[in-house]
Amino acid sequence: MSITFNETDKLFVISTNNTEYAFKVRHDRFLVHLYYGEKGKSNYDFKANYRSFSPYLPNVGEGFSLNDDFIEFPFYGSGDFRATSLKLRAPAGDCCTSFVYKSHEIISGRKIIKGIPCARAQEGTETLIIHMADEVTGCLLNLYYTVFPKHDIISRYFTLENAGKETVKIEKAMSLSLNLVGHDYDMISLYGAHMEERNIQRSAVVMGNQRVFSRRGASSHQFNPFMALVGKDTDETKGDVFAFNFVYSGNFLDEVEVDQNGHTRVQVGLGDEDFGFKLEAGESFEAPEAIMMYTPNGLGDMSRKMHSFVREAIVPRDPMEKRPIVLNTWEACYFDIDQQKLIDFAYEGVKYGMDMLVMDDGWFGARNDDKAGLGDWFTNTEKFPDGLAVFVDKVKASGMKFGIWIEPEMINPDSDLYRAHPEWCISCKDRTGSLSRSQYVLDFANPAVLDYLKKSFKETFDGVAIDYIKWDFNRHISEPGSPYLPADRQDEATFRFMLGVYDLFYWFMETFPNVMIENCSGGGGRYDLAMMSVSTQIWTSDNTAGRIRPFIQYGSLMAYPSYVMSCHVSNPMVVEDYMNLIDYKFKVALAGMLGYELNILHMGDDVKNEIKKQTAFYRSVEKLIKFGDLYRLVSPFENNGTTAYYYVSTPDSGENYADRILLTYLQNEGVNDGSTITLKISEADANATYKDSVSGETFSGKELNDGINFKMYENNMHGNLWLFERV
Ligand code: DGJ
């Protein structure tokens, strides 16, 4: 049993394989958090200091304040002056609530969240549901705690039901709140921009409030919902890590606040900016799911557990046994595509081990550049005179599979759709909407918009043998309003937009059940757990430059697995160094799921033969990368771009532990002083002998444990691979 309740002490304990989370009911009504950490290390007696100036309730008395104790789910206006989880505007106009514990239930498995992706129940999953009520508004609050024992993860969210007689409005909604003792932590978050996603930032937690967030209507390139609090001495192999994430792709808030007692509160949720939700009598609201995990074993252990959680509980399906090695037309041709050229691509690509042609942007409407056509999802017959179905059959006759690009949430003002329905765009009444990449965002809160899209995709794709869809999203939401919603629901626009997005994803998954969806948002602008729940992999970044890409991938792997990380070898930019660049970019791409984005028709035989070797090598290690355990050795963020890591085989990758180890070394900046770097493979079996199938050299496992010494290159952008195989 993962969840227990001790009636005498009114104590709840939620256990994963290695961790424990505990809280109790105090004074018969308040939920007070006691412990989160390693299993068996607490007697659950934590009590925060009572401080003067902290309000107390007359019928409870001095000595207990909602402002000092570790309140499990804190409410705005309850006397808790710290960041709170729920702000609810009552019919009287104030925002005070006092939800008290009423009862609870423990169920096996989990409940799903209506219309929003959530993690799938795993072996041993149980859910604790706490029922609370606020007497004045009549609202009922349910707190959900779902356990994923093997992954040491507990998920959290709430639902709110207006069982009162009058309308209320949610003005802040945080799915997860956690109080931690002390504030001797560093906060790790992932920040960035388009083409520079998921840089790793580590900074000390300080008194006051620190936040990462998105106000862009997408989880965004700028901050990622993942965040961790770690001990000061935590590194890859040791130390406390409390990690958090949010299964949602729109605006979010992760906040960390240190109180007057020096204790830390962490919250994850929709936040209070650009979010509101009106609940009329009888209506209810379900918040997205947040997850938390704890490990005492450092960042490497955290990442590996997160990786297997995403593979097993988040990604919905992998319709193909082997991930396709795509040849994507974007960086090869941009908008300059037509039927014959793409058929030629397919016949050429298949010779070198590529197995899916992905037709990117430019195939529909009047889409000859990024100024027109979005919204008009019918085939451009000038470029594809035989129609989509015949063209796709011709591509597939080459032996290649076929993928196609779409961007359903968007509309160009220069499109038939906009001319017919200008009122279908997200906008604020009487205000001119801002453009971004010459496009507006469709109002997915409006069911008519979704109906139109479903109908047009059904018509265009009906009878077309599509194997894969690349789903893009290339701008953020400014002027966040919905012409469809009434004035008093305008602050619901971005949340309802996301519900519409998930609705369309679910429709695609149902209508085209064998199609693999690759997610994209100008690269990795929606690189989040909810998008991973409706797709198989994500285009990591539009930046494929060898110098930058190792940073982006290294940062992405902190929280998300190789399994979802789409990595392409693109057109080398420096023509003189073509062979090295194609080699280096391949070594970089080998961190995740391989693809190509180059004009194969323009490549010389030397490059094409190199690609043939690359695709064959990738196939030989695909399972090891996809399911193996990742160990990071050298961080580009701390070493001027130099990066090293390895994947070790596990039963998940179909082999014995450490039968094979794939080590990658990438060097972005040259050193001319002949330094060597030592790469220690701690996971090699000390008693085994390994042969590196790349160089042919033999090593004892002990030698690998102690570290191989590698003489750094004199020039930039060189890399090395070792594939150690147990002999
Ligand atoms: C942005 C994506 O990230 C690119 O890969 C490509 O699909 C373009 N959009 C097409 O417009």
Side-chain angles (χ1 to χ4, degrees):
M1 284 246 294
S2 311
I3 301 172
T4 59
F5 177 63
N6 178 322
E7 186 69 53
T8 320
D9 298 334
K10 300 272 183 275
L11 175 73
F12 294 96
V13 179
I14 303 173
S15 310
T16 67
N17 283 3
N18 302 293
T19 71
E20 231 163 49
Y21 182 92
F23 60 96
K24 75 189 301 181
V25 186
R26 281 218 164 112
H27 302 286
D28 284 334
R29 65 197 112 152
F30 303 119
L31 294 181
V32 177
H33 178 76
L34 298 172
Y35 177 72
Y36 187 33
E38 246 180 293
K39 212 173 195 166
K41 292 250 166 117
S42 172
N43 50 7
Y44 317 124
D45 63 352
F46 178 78
K47 176 91 186 72
N49 285 342
Y50 172 76
R51 307 296 291 238
S52 38
F53 282 82
S54 287
Y56 55 91
L57 289 160
N59 54 359
V60 175
E62 213 170 347
F64 177 82
S65 172
L66 294 175
N67 187 45
D68 292 315
D69 247 303
F70 279 12
I71 302 306
E72 188 58 24
F73 192 81
F75 313 106
Y76 178 90
S78 63
D80 189 341
F81 297 122
R82 297 166 290 186
T84 46
S85 294
L86 182 65
K87 185 174 179 187
L88 189 67
R89 194 160 296 276
D94 63 80
C95 288
C96 293
T97 46
S98 175
F99 283 91
V100 295
Y101 168 82
K102 289 290 177 191
S103 64
H104 70 269
E105 52 188 304
I106 297 169
I107 60 169
S108 86
R110 67 161 306 155
K111 299 221 170 178
I112 59 150
I113 305 175
K114 221 169 89 206
I116 307 179
C118 57
R120 279 187 308 280
Q122 301 293 295
E123 205 184 323
T125 290
E126 288 180 0
T127 300
L128 166 66
I129 310 167
I130 303 274
H131 302 293
M132 304 178 86
D134 176 54
E135 212 179 306
V136 177
T137 58
C139 285
L140 305 175
L141 174 71
N142 304 303
L143 307 182
Y144 290 79
Y145 298 79
T146 299
V147 193
F148 300 87
K150 168 182 158 191
H151 305 97
D152 287 330
I153 282 177
I154 299 172
S155 83
R156 314 261 306 262
Y157 71 97
F158 73 87
T159 62
L160 189 75
E161 193 189 326
N162 185 356
K165 292 194 169 53
E166 291 178 78
T167 303
V168 297
K169 186 164 193 187
I170 306 172
E171 296 191 354
K172 182 175 186 187
M174 301 304 277
S175 298
L176 176 156
S177 184
L178 171 69
N179 298 275
L180 294 171
V181 180
H183 65 280
D184 216 7
Y185 302 109
D186 286 341
M187 174 174 168
I188 294 181
S189 58
L190 304 174
Y191 72 96
H194 176 224
M195 312 270 281
E196 288 173 33
E197 296 90 339
R198 290 173 291 287
N199 294 283
I200 299 173
Q201 169 170 254
R202 181 169 177 163
S203 56
V205 167
V206 293
M207 302 302 287
N209 189 298
Q210 282 159 270
R211 305 176 146 209
V212 294
F213 52 84
S214 168
R215 307 176 184 117
R216 294 169 169 267
S219 48
S220 89
H221 312 79
Q222 285 70 16
F223 279 124
N224 188 273
F226 164 81
M227 174 188 63
L229 290 196
V230 303
K232 294 288 177 192
D233 63 347
T234 295
D235 59 20
E236 279 297 307
T237 57
K238 63 166 189 344
D240 286 330
V241 182
F242 296 91
F244 307 90
N245 213 328
F246 197 31
V247 191
Y248 187 65
S249 318
N251 295 336
F252 73 89
L253 172 65
D254 295 347
E255 62 181 334
V256 176
E257 188 168 304
V258 182
D259 69 16
Q260 60 179 343
N261 282 316
H263 299 314
T264 306
R265 176 172 286 171
V266 185
Q267 304 210 105
V268 178
L270 293 167
D272 50 4
E273 281 189 75
D274 202 6
F275 169 75
F277 205 92
K278 192 172 136 188
L279 283 182
E280 285 173 10
E283 286 184 339
S284 51
F285 170 82
E286 304 196 23
E289 180 169 43
I291 62 160
M292 57 186 192
M293 75 159 289
Y294 166 77
T295 171
N297 299 321
L299 290 164
D301 190 49
M302 174 207 74
S303 295
R304 287 185 288 278
K305 284 191 174 130
M306 286 286 187
H307 293 175
S308 63
F309 176 72
V310 173
R311 286 197 303 260
E312 289 161 26
I314 295 287
V315 178
R317 56 183 185 179
D318 191 350
M320 294 166 200
E321 201 205 325
K322 293 180 190 161
R323 288 290 167 83
I325 302 180
V326 305
L327 173 56
N328 180 298
T329 58
W330 182 245
E331 287 195 37
C333 322
Y334 298 105
F335 293 99
D336 187 15
I337 53 172
D338 63 54
Q339 176 164 319
Q340 196 51 52
K341 188 176 190 176
L342 268 48
I343 293 171
D344 292 346
F345 264 51
Y347 276 89
E348 196 60 13
V350 77
K351 291 190 211 156
Y352 303 100
M354 300 167 187
D355 47 26
M356 179 185 290
L357 181 84
V358 174
M359 176 165 75
D360 210 284
D361 202 349
W363 61 269
F364 53 91
R367 187 77 171 162
N368 298 314
D369 54 32
D370 63 11
K371 307 249 174 311
L374 288 172
D376 298 342
W377 297 108
F378 45 84
T379 314
N380 181 316
T381 45
E382 272 169 38
K383 296 179 189 177
F384 299 92
D386 295 343
L388 197 56
V390 172
F391 159 67
V392 172
D393 287 346
K394 286 185 176 167
V395 166
K396 294 182 82 165
S398 70
M400 285 279 226
K401 294 191 176 70
F402 179 78
I404 195 163
W405 179 95
I406 58 173
E407 193 179 6
E409 290 99 318
M410 298 298 166
I411 179 167
N412 286 118
D414 185 1
S415 65
D416 291 351
L417 183 62
Y418 187 83
R419 285 182 277 276
H421 287 290
E423 79 288 5
W424 277 5
C425 298
I426 284 193
S427 60
C428 294
K429 194 165 185 301
D430 299 333
R431 297 193 186 276
T432 308
S434 312
L435 285 164
S436 179
R437 207 192 190 208
S438 304
Q439 62 201 54
Y440 292 127
V441 185
L442 283 167
D443 179 11
F444 272 33
N446 182 348
V449 173
L450 294 174
D451 289 348
Y452 165 82
L453 288 171
K454 289 173 188 173
K455 190 165 167 283
S456 60
F457 281 117
K458 180 90 180 103
E459 274 168 20
T460 302
F461 290 171
D462 210 26
V464 184
I466 293 171
D467 300 295
Y468 158 117
I469 284 172
K470 176 177 171 189
W471 183 313
D472 210 342
F473 180 85
N474 281 304
R475 67 158 291 177
H476 290 146
I477 298 179
S478 52
E479 297 89 22
S482 161
Y484 172 77
L485 295 172
D488 60 353
R489 286 193 183 268
Q490 285 301 306
D491 46 6
E492 296 174 26
T494 51
F495 180 70
R496 289 191 183 271
F497 169 79
M498 277 321 308
L499 296 182
V501 172
Y502 297 133
D503 179 285
L504 194 62
F505 266 100
Y506 291 136
W507 178 84
F508 263 93
M509 290 160 80
E510 239 178 80
T511 313
F512 306 103
N514 301 317
V515 168
M516 171 176 157
I517 299 178
E518 171 152 337
N519 210 274
C520 174
S521 168
R526 290 201 298 198
Y527 209 87
D528 59 70
L529 292 176
M531 281 298 154
M532 290 170 195
S533 303
V534 288
S535 47
T536 307
Q537 58 186 40
I538 303 196
W539 178 223
T540 313
S541 175
D542 276 348
N543 197 334
T544 50
R547 191 182 296 280
I548 308 295
R549 190 80 176 191
F551 289 88
I552 297 170
Q553 294 181 175
Y554 196 92
S556 303
L557 288 165
M558 182 57 69
Y560 306 100
S562 52
Y563 188 83
V564 297
M565 191 166 78
S566 180
C567 302
H568 293 181
V569 176
S570 67
N571 285 330
M573 287 174 208
V574 185
V575 176
E576 310 86 72
D577 210 6
Y578 222 86
M579 279 304 283
N580 176 52
L581 278 171
I582 203 99
D583 175 68
Y584 185 67
K585 285 189 170 190
F586 170 69
K587 285 169 180 157
V588 172
L590 214 55
M593 304 294 99
L594 181 70
Y596 289 82
E597 215 162 306
L598 37 72
N599 191 330
I600 190 78
L601 303 175
H602 289 173
M603 303 283 144
D605 285 344
D606 52 351
V607 174
K608 288 194 283 202
N609 290 331
E610 187 59 29
I611 290 176
K612 192 170 186 172
K613 284 190 217 146
Q614 294 178 349
T615 53
F617 185 79
Y618 170 73
R619 281 294 183 226
S620 76
V621 291
E622 179 184 346
K623 277 195 168 167
L624 175 54
I625 298 169
K626 204 163 153 189
F627 298 103
D629 277 353
L630 172 71
Y631 282 78
R632 289 180 288 256
L633 298 178
V634 181
S635 164
F637 295 96
E638 289 155 22
N639 296 280
N640 207 14
T642 294
T643 309
Y645 47 83
Y646 63 89
Y647 287 101
V648 56
S649 66
T650 68
D652 283 350
S653 67
E655 292 163 293
N656 293 321
Y657 193 78
D659 267 1
R660 290 202 302 164
I661 294 167
L662 177 69
L663 169 66
T664 303
Y665 171 80
L666 304 169
Q667 188 178 308
N668 275 7
E669 297 300 325
V671 285
N672 295 309
D673 60 1
S675 334
T676 53
I677 187 162
T678 304
L679 303 170
K680 293 188 178 184
I681 318 295
S682 62
E683 297 312 294
D685 177 351
N687 300 316
T689 303
Y690 288 90
K691 182 169 178 194
D692 168 22
S693 64
V694 178
S695 67
E697 276 180 83
T698 300
F699 299 85
S700 74
K702 174 82 175 51
E703 268 177 280
L704 295 181
N705 294 161
D706 293 343
I708 53 172
N709 294 317
F710 185 71
K711 188 158 179 303
M712 294 174 80
Y713 296 108
E714 291 189 0
N715 300 313
N716 312 347
M717 313 270 274
H718 283 267
N720 203 48
L721 293 174
W722 297 257
L723 179 59
F724 302 112
E725 299 183 296
R726 196 194 289 266
V727 289

